[in-house]
Every structure is written in C-alpha cells, then in structure tokens.
C-alpha cells in the first residue's frame, strides 16, 4: 500500500477522463484487499468504512483507473489509482475537494 504524492496522483490523470460504469468489463482484480490493508491513519480523520464507490474514471486511455471511495463528507474521497496494465492498485490519494475549492474557508 502506498500513499501517492500530489504529483504522482496528478501524473495519472487525464484532461478528458472517461466514466467507468458497472456495465464496463469487470476487472480481474479486487480493490477491497488493498483498501482493507490500509490502516485507518491513512483515512486522515475521515470515515470510508461504508465502502461506497461514487465514481470510477478511466484515465489516459485505458492506462489508469481512478476509483473514488466515499467518506462521510461528500467532498472527500479516497482515490485508489489502478494500473490497468499490471492489474494492481498503484496507490491511494486522499482527494479533499473542500481544500481544492476552499469550501471550508471562513474568510
């Protein structure tokens, strides 16, 4: 398990990601063993225990897949970045849209 830096996470992104739907071909690997191996400290104070997946995006053609796991805060996701060539989770990144868009700023 590996927490990705912001630059590592962004290196797997695409300007035009494609949404992945449940109708897309199922992957031959499981995300949950990786997720289950994460200590709660990686959740950085958020609760991802419901294991809900709100979105999944294919990035850079079919090179990467970003699977967004929901927290108790609609604006905070735990992103599992999947390497589709090796069919393994590359790592994870805590995406806090409150910080990205300044939603918690009291200024």
């Amino acid at each position: 398990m590996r927490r990705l830096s912001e630059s590592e996470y962004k290196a797997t992104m695409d300007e035009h990601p494609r949404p992945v739907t449940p109708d897309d071909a199922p992957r031959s690997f499981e995300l949950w063993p990786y997720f289950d191996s994460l200590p709660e400290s990686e959740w950085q104070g958020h609760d991802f225990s419901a294991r809900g997946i709100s979105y999944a995006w294919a990035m850079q053609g079919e090179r990467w897949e970003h699977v967004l796991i929901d927290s108790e805060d609609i604006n905070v996701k735990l992103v599992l970045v999947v390497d589709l060539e090796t069919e393994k989770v590359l790592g994870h990144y805590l995406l806090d849209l409150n910080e990205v868009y300044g939603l918690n700023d009291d200024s």
Side-chain angles (χ1 to χ4, degrees):
M1 89 196 123
R2 185 173 144 226
R3 183 188 307 178
L4 300 174
S5 69
E6 183 175 3
S7 62
E8 289 172 317
Y9 168 69
K10 286 184 175 181
T12 65
M13 294 184 76
D14 190 337
E15 189 174 323
H16 302 289
R18 179 182 63 79
V20 177
T21 68
D23 296 332
D24 290 335
R27 304 293 180 207
S28 61
F29 54 88
E30 292 291 327
L31 299 171
W32 298 120
Y34 179 94
F35 176 84
D36 291 338
S37 73
L38 292 173
E40 283 191 28
S41 61
E42 289 296 310
W43 296 3
Q44 300 177 42
H46 296 281
D47 182 2
F48 296 97
S49 62
R51 299 171 128 212
I53 297 175
S54 55
Y55 300 100
W57 299 95
M59 302 282 184
Q60 300 178 15
E62 294 295 321
R63 176 67 176 100
W64 305 104
E65 189 169 285
H66 287 193
V67 179
L68 282 63
I69 300 174
D70 301 328
S71 77
E72 80 294 346
D73 182 333
I74 194 168
N75 294 321
V76 177
K77 310 292 183 192
L78 184 67
V79 183
L80 300 185
V81 177
V82 178
D83 180 335
L84 295 174
E85 290 179 2
T86 64
E87 295 190 336
K88 291 186 170 57
V89 178
L90 172 70
H92 59 281
Y93 182 79
L94 188 104
L95 178 61
D96 187 343
L97 298 173
N98 295 314
E99 284 184 17
V100 172
Y101 295 108
L103 300 176
N104 286 340
D105 276 353
D106 293 330
S107 51

Short mmCIF file of all heavy atoms in Angstrom, two decimals, residues 74-103:
data_model
loop_
_atom_site.label_atom_id
_atom_site.label_comp_id
_atom_site.label_asym_id
_atom_site.label_seq_id
_atom_site.Cartn_x
_atom_site.Cartn_y
_atom_site.Cartn_z
N ILE A 74 -19.25 14.43 1.65
CA ILE A 74 -19.47 14.26 0.21
C ILE A 74 -18.30 14.79 -0.63
O ILE A 74 -18.09 14.35 -1.75
CB ILE A 74 -20.80 14.90 -0.22
CG1 ILE A 74 -21.20 14.43 -1.60
CG2 ILE A 74 -20.74 16.41 -0.13
CD1 ILE A 74 -22.62 14.77 -1.99
N ASN A 75 -17.53 15.70 -0.08
CA ASN A 75 -16.42 16.33 -0.81
C ASN A 75 -15.06 15.69 -0.55
O ASN A 75 -14.05 16.21 -1.01
CB ASN A 75 -16.35 17.82 -0.48
CG ASN A 75 -17.55 18.56 -0.99
OD1 ASN A 75 -18.05 18.30 -2.07
ND2 ASN A 75 -18.05 19.51 -0.20
N VAL A 76 -15.03 14.58 0.17
CA VAL A 76 -13.76 13.91 0.47
C VAL A 76 -13.85 12.47 -0.03
O VAL A 76 -14.76 11.73 0.35
CB VAL A 76 -13.43 13.94 1.97
CG1 VAL A 76 -12.15 13.18 2.27
CG2 VAL A 76 -13.32 15.38 2.47
N LYS A 77 -12.91 12.11 -0.89
CA LYS A 77 -12.86 10.76 -1.48
C LYS A 77 -11.48 10.17 -1.25
O LYS A 77 -10.47 10.87 -1.26
CB LYS A 77 -13.12 10.81 -2.99
CG LYS A 77 -14.34 11.59 -3.42
CD LYS A 77 -15.62 10.94 -2.99
CE LYS A 77 -16.83 11.73 -3.50
NZ LYS A 77 -18.06 11.30 -2.90
N LEU A 78 -11.44 8.87 -1.09
CA LEU A 78 -10.19 8.14 -1.10
C LEU A 78 -10.08 7.55 -2.50
O LEU A 78 -10.91 6.73 -2.90
CB LEU A 78 -10.17 7.03 -0.05
CG LEU A 78 -8.86 6.27 0.06
CD1 LEU A 78 -7.75 7.19 0.60
CD2 LEU A 78 -9.01 5.06 0.96
N VAL A 79 -9.10 8.02 -3.26
CA VAL A 79 -8.94 7.58 -4.64
C VAL A 79 -7.94 6.43 -4.69
O VAL A 79 -6.80 6.59 -4.25
CB VAL A 79 -8.46 8.73 -5.54
CG1 VAL A 79 -8.36 8.28 -7.00
CG2 VAL A 79 -9.37 9.96 -5.42
N LEU A 80 -8.39 5.29 -5.19
CA LEU A 80 -7.48 4.18 -5.45
C LEU A 80 -7.10 4.27 -6.92
O LEU A 80 -7.97 4.28 -7.80
CB LEU A 80 -8.15 2.84 -5.16
CG LEU A 80 -8.64 2.61 -3.74
CD1 LEU A 80 -9.16 1.19 -3.57
CD2 LEU A 80 -7.56 2.90 -2.72
N VAL A 81 -5.81 4.40 -7.18
CA VAL A 81 -5.31 4.51 -8.55
C VAL A 81 -4.87 3.13 -8.99
O VAL A 81 -3.96 2.53 -8.41
CB VAL A 81 -4.16 5.53 -8.64
CG1 VAL A 81 -3.61 5.59 -10.06
CG2 VAL A 81 -4.63 6.91 -8.19
N VAL A 82 -5.53 2.62 -10.02
CA VAL A 82 -5.31 1.27 -10.50
C VAL A 82 -4.49 1.32 -11.79
O VAL A 82 -4.83 2.06 -12.72
CB VAL A 82 -6.65 0.55 -10.75
CG1 VAL A 82 -6.44 -0.84 -11.31
CG2 VAL A 82 -7.49 0.53 -9.48
N ASP A 83 -3.42 0.55 -11.82
CA ASP A 83 -2.62 0.38 -13.02
C ASP A 83 -3.29 -0.73 -13.82
O ASP A 83 -3.26 -1.90 -13.42
CB ASP A 83 -1.19 0.00 -12.63
CG ASP A 83 -0.27 -0.19 -13.81
OD1 ASP A 83 -0.75 -0.51 -14.93
OD2 ASP A 83 0.95 -0.03 -13.63
N LEU A 84 -3.90 -0.38 -14.94
CA LEU A 84 -4.66 -1.37 -15.69
C LEU A 84 -3.76 -2.32 -16.48
O LEU A 84 -4.21 -3.38 -16.89
CB LEU A 84 -5.65 -0.67 -16.62
CG LEU A 84 -6.75 0.10 -15.88
CD1 LEU A 84 -7.61 0.88 -16.87
CD2 LEU A 84 -7.60 -0.82 -15.03
N GLU A 85 -2.50 -1.94 -16.69
CA GLU A 85 -1.59 -2.85 -17.38
C GLU A 85 -1.16 -4.00 -16.48
O GLU A 85 -1.06 -5.13 -16.91
CB GLU A 85 -0.36 -2.08 -17.89
CG GLU A 85 -0.70 -1.16 -19.04
CD GLU A 85 0.49 -0.38 -19.55
OE1 GLU A 85 1.63 -0.56 -19.05
OE2 GLU A 85 0.29 0.44 -20.47
N THR A 86 -0.89 -3.70 -15.21
CA THR A 86 -0.46 -4.75 -14.27
C THR A 86 -1.62 -5.31 -13.46
O THR A 86 -1.46 -6.29 -12.75
CB THR A 86 0.60 -4.21 -13.29
OG1 THR A 86 0.01 -3.19 -12.48
CG2 THR A 86 1.81 -3.68 -14.04
N GLU A 87 -2.79 -4.64 -13.56
CA GLU A 87 -3.98 -5.01 -12.80
C GLU A 87 -3.70 -5.02 -11.31
O GLU A 87 -4.09 -5.93 -10.58
CB GLU A 87 -4.56 -6.34 -13.28
CG GLU A 87 -5.06 -6.28 -14.70
CD GLU A 87 -5.84 -7.50 -15.12
OE1 GLU A 87 -5.64 -8.59 -14.54
OE2 GLU A 87 -6.65 -7.36 -16.03
N LYS A 88 -3.02 -3.96 -10.86
CA LYS A 88 -2.72 -3.79 -9.44
C LYS A 88 -3.02 -2.35 -9.04
O LYS A 88 -2.95 -1.44 -9.86
CB LYS A 88 -1.25 -4.09 -9.17
CG LYS A 88 -0.90 -5.55 -9.34
CD LYS A 88 0.53 -5.78 -8.91
CE LYS A 88 0.90 -7.15 -8.83
NZ LYS A 88 1.00 -8.21 -9.39
N VAL A 89 -3.32 -2.16 -7.78
CA VAL A 89 -3.50 -0.81 -7.26
C VAL A 89 -2.11 -0.19 -7.11
O VAL A 89 -1.26 -0.73 -6.41
CB VAL A 89 -4.25 -0.81 -5.92
CG1 VAL A 89 -4.38 0.61 -5.37
CG2 VAL A 89 -5.63 -1.44 -6.07
N LEU A 90 -1.89 0.92 -7.81
CA LEU A 90 -0.62 1.64 -7.71
C LEU A 90 -0.47 2.28 -6.33
O LEU A 90 0.58 2.26 -5.72
CB LEU A 90 -0.54 2.72 -8.79
CG LEU A 90 0.64 3.68 -8.71
CD1 LEU A 90 1.94 2.96 -9.04
CD2 LEU A 90 0.44 4.86 -9.64
N GLY A 91 -1.56 2.87 -5.85
CA GLY A 91 -1.55 3.54 -4.56
C GLY A 91 -2.86 4.26 -4.32
O GLY A 91 -3.83 4.08 -5.06
N HIS A 92 -2.87 5.10 -3.30
CA HIS A 92 -4.09 5.82 -2.94
C HIS A 92 -3.77 7.28 -2.68
O HIS A 92 -2.63 7.65 -2.42
CB HIS A 92 -4.74 5.19 -1.70
CG HIS A 92 -3.84 5.19 -0.51
ND1 HIS A 92 -2.83 4.26 -0.34
CD2 HIS A 92 -3.77 6.01 0.57
CE1 HIS A 92 -2.20 4.51 0.79
NE2 HIS A 92 -2.74 5.57 1.36
N TYR A 93 -4.81 8.09 -2.78
CA TYR A 93 -4.67 9.54 -2.60
C TYR A 93 -5.94 10.06 -1.96
O TYR A 93 -7.05 9.71 -2.40
CB TYR A 93 -4.44 10.21 -3.96
CG TYR A 93 -4.24 11.70 -3.88
CD1 TYR A 93 -3.02 12.23 -3.50
CD2 TYR A 93 -5.27 12.57 -4.18
CE1 TYR A 93 -2.82 13.60 -3.43
CE2 TYR A 93 -5.09 13.94 -4.11
CZ TYR A 93 -3.86 14.45 -3.74
OH TYR A 93 -3.68 15.80 -3.67
N LEU A 94 -5.81 10.87 -0.92
CA LEU A 94 -6.98 11.47 -0.30
C LEU A 94 -7.32 12.75 -1.05
O LEU A 94 -6.52 13.69 -1.06
CB LEU A 94 -6.73 11.78 1.18
CG LEU A 94 -8.04 12.22 1.85
CD1 LEU A 94 -8.60 11.10 2.70
CD2 LEU A 94 -7.82 13.45 2.67
N LEU A 95 -8.45 12.76 -1.73
CA LEU A 95 -8.90 13.91 -2.51
C LEU A 95 -9.90 14.68 -1.67
O LEU A 95 -11.01 14.22 -1.42
CB LEU A 95 -9.54 13.44 -3.81
CG LEU A 95 -10.10 14.52 -4.73
CD1 LEU A 95 -9.00 15.48 -5.17
CD2 LEU A 95 -10.80 13.89 -5.92
N ASP A 96 -9.48 15.84 -1.21
CA ASP A 96 -10.33 16.70 -0.37
C ASP A 96 -10.73 17.92 -1.18
O ASP A 96 -9.98 18.88 -1.31
CB ASP A 96 -9.58 17.11 0.90
CG ASP A 96 -10.46 17.85 1.88
OD1 ASP A 96 -11.55 18.34 1.48
OD2 ASP A 96 -10.08 17.96 3.06
N LEU A 97 -11.93 17.86 -1.75
CA LEU A 97 -12.40 18.97 -2.59
C LEU A 97 -12.71 20.21 -1.77
O LEU A 97 -12.75 21.31 -2.31
CB LEU A 97 -13.64 18.52 -3.39
CG LEU A 97 -13.36 17.38 -4.37
CD1 LEU A 97 -14.65 16.89 -4.99
CD2 LEU A 97 -12.36 17.78 -5.42
N ASN A 98 -12.90 20.03 -0.46
CA ASN A 98 -13.06 21.20 0.41
C ASN A 98 -11.80 22.06 0.34
O ASN A 98 -11.88 23.29 0.28
CB ASN A 98 -13.32 20.78 1.86
CG ASN A 98 -14.63 20.05 2.00
OD1 ASN A 98 -15.65 20.47 1.50
ND2 ASN A 98 -14.60 18.93 2.69
N GLU A 99 -10.64 21.40 0.37
CA GLU A 99 -9.37 22.14 0.28
C GLU A 99 -9.13 22.67 -1.13
O GLU A 99 -8.73 23.81 -1.31
CB GLU A 99 -8.20 21.23 0.67
CG GLU A 99 -8.08 21.01 2.15
CD GLU A 99 -6.84 20.18 2.49
OE1 GLU A 99 -5.93 20.05 1.64
OE2 GLU A 99 -6.79 19.67 3.61
N VAL A 100 -9.39 21.83 -2.12
CA VAL A 100 -9.13 22.21 -3.51
C VAL A 100 -9.91 23.46 -3.88
O VAL A 100 -9.38 24.37 -4.51
CB VAL A 100 -9.50 21.05 -4.47
CG1 VAL A 100 -9.44 21.49 -5.93
CG2 VAL A 100 -8.59 19.85 -4.24
N TYR A 101 -11.17 23.54 -3.45
CA TYR A 101 -12.03 24.65 -3.83
C TYR A 101 -12.25 25.66 -2.70
O TYR A 101 -13.08 26.55 -2.82
CB TYR A 101 -13.37 24.14 -4.34
CG TYR A 101 -13.22 23.36 -5.62
CD1 TYR A 101 -13.38 21.98 -5.65
CD2 TYR A 101 -12.87 24.00 -6.81
CE1 TYR A 101 -13.21 21.27 -6.81
CE2 TYR A 101 -12.70 23.30 -7.99
CZ TYR A 101 -12.87 21.94 -7.99
OH TYR A 101 -12.70 21.23 -9.15
N GLY A 102 -11.53 25.52 -1.57
CA GLY A 102 -11.66 26.45 -0.47
C GLY A 102 -13.03 26.46 0.15
O GLY A 102 -13.50 27.51 0.61
N LEU A 103 -13.68 25.31 0.21
CA LEU A 103 -15.05 25.25 0.72
C LEU A 103 -15.15 25.41 2.22
O LEU A 103 -16.21 25.69 2.75
CB LEU A 103 -15.70 23.92 0.31
CG LEU A 103 -15.80 23.71 -1.21
CD1 LEU A 103 -16.37 22.33 -1.51
CD2 LEU A 103 -16.64 24.79 -1.86
#
